[in-house]
Amino acid sequence: MHQNIQDVCNENGIEILSPHYRAARDGNMTTIPSKYLPENYQAPSFSVKTKKED
């Protein structure tokens, strides 16, 4: 059952993380196995948006 849950989540692009695992999208790869990712998948880069004070 647990493997089926993982497979369905992976197929739908949902990462399952434990409380001890942190995934800040700073260029690191997703925890979803590569066989579930599109061929052209690229790890997202980290960006910070700031709002200028007037």
Side-chain angles (χ1 to χ4, degrees):
M1 182 173 84
H2 289 111
Q3 186 61 54
N4 290 338
I5 292 169
Q6 281 186 314
D7 290 341
V8 170
C9 288
N10 288 332
E11 289 166 2
N12 289 285
I14 300 169
E15 288 182 282
I16 301 174
L17 304 175
S18 73
H20 302 286
Y21 188 93
R22 181 177 167 181
R25 291 289 157 241
D26 58 357
N28 56 338
M29 288 293 290
T30 178
T31 62
I32 297 173
S34 59
K35 71 179 184 178
Y36 294 102
L37 299 173
E39 284 185 28
N40 61 347
Y41 175 79
Q42 292 183 358
S45 62
F46 186 77
S47 65
V48 177
K49 294 181 182 180
T50 59
K51 183 178 177 182
K52 279 188 147 186
E53 299 278 333
D54 290 331

